[in-house]
Amino acid sequence: MRCGAGRFRGVGDKPTRRDVLRQLALAFTAAGAGAFNLEAARVVHGLAGEARAQPGGYTPQALDAHQYGTVMRLAELIVPADAGGGNGVDAGAPEFIDLLCSQNERLLTIYAEGLAWIDEQMRDDHGGTFIEADASQQTGLLDRLVAAERGDTPRGWRDGVRFFDWIRRMTVDAYYTSPIGIADIGYRGNRALSAYETPAETIAFVNRRADELGL
């Protein structure tokens, strides 16, 4: 197995955390990939937590400041806080997404193009970027994306719907592999969770949130 800087790893060597981060990032865009390893996701949260603990806090590794701010706001809206726990930002979803984008050019392109689509649509509707819009305008755009996803997709909205599916899925994955999310659904130990799949409780949670938001 080839490692960074031209080094080669032996068969019996343990992968580094950076190896795990890269493998997980590539799995997100691999054909047919629908689930990922919970332990690998915890490694990503661990790296993000170490970066947050540095003076000045977390510095985005792949997204620029505007893109990262937009991801933060979208994560708040996709998984809002309630009595059961914090929101997507509290769970570290923006850092989770940014770190994975830093290891996968295709994933970074998906986010760069998707966030640009979000801003372009918001400018057409309200004259400013997504994070410059007020809360009702932001949720209004998400309402329209969900409606387009459920029914006829307006001309030019297919790219937006596809990106919204990406960021919604990755935000939920980040939330429910974080300490906040695991506590929210009740931690059941490692032995049955060597491979993570979105649990039924997560689906119920997202559906309940969607109903509450009128999505």
Side-chain angles (χ1 to χ4, degrees):
M1 176 179 177
R2 184 166 184 166
C3 303
R7 294 170 54 240
F8 286 83
R9 185 179 304 284
V11 172
D13 290 347
K14 286 183 64 177
T16 67
R17 293 192 301 169
R18 286 289 168 185
D19 292 335
V20 174
L21 172 63
R22 180 165 176 74
Q23 289 164 5
L24 184 59
L26 294 175
F28 263 98
T29 53
F36 61 89
N37 187 285
L38 174 60
E39 293 305 323
R42 287 179 177 166
V43 169
V44 181
H45 283 294
L47 289 169
E50 292 173 7
R52 279 196 299 272
Q54 298 300 311
Y58 182 84
T59 300
Q61 304 294 303
L63 302 172
D64 65 29
H66 175 76
Q67 291 168 334
Y68 189 72
T70 306
V71 168
M72 289 183 70
R73 181 58 182 146
L74 285 165
E76 285 181 321
L77 294 172
I78 291 168
V79 182
D82 69 359
N87 61 30
V89 173
D90 297 326
E95 296 95 327
F96 186 91
I97 290 169
D98 178 64
L99 282 171
L100 292 175
C101 284
S102 75
Q103 299 298 312
N104 185 333
E105 285 290 335
R106 183 180 171 202
L107 188 60
L108 178 58
T109 298
I110 288 170
Y111 270 81
E113 293 179 352
L115 293 168
W117 186 95
I118 293 277
D119 274 344
E120 182 180 354
Q121 191 60 47
M122 193 61 83
R123 284 193 188 94
D124 288 345
D125 292 343
H126 303 291
T129 65
F130 186 79
I131 56 177
E132 291 169 340
D134 63 35
S136 66
Q137 292 168 342
Q138 292 170 342
T139 55
L141 178 61
L142 302 192
D143 287 345
R144 294 172 67 192
L145 282 168
V146 172
E149 185 179 53
R150 289 175 175 170
D152 295 333
T153 302
R155 184 181 297 275
W157 278 61
R158 186 168 300 171
D159 290 345
V161 169
R162 189 178 299 119
F163 171 67
F164 185 58
D165 181 61
W166 271 101
I167 191 168
R168 180 175 54 192
R169 180 159 54 89
M170 290 184 69
T171 298
V172 171
D173 284 344
Y175 182 87
Y176 281 103
T177 55
S178 73
I180 289 176
I182 290 172
D184 194 9
I185 61 174
Y187 183 58
R188 290 173 293 190
N190 291 326
R191 48 194 171 76
L193 295 174
S194 59
Y196 178 82
E197 294 182 359
T198 304
E201 292 89 342
T202 302
I203 296 171
F205 175 87
V206 172
N207 287 339
R208 186 173 71 250
R209 279 303 194 183
D211 289 341
E212 290 171 357
L213 293 170
L215 298 178

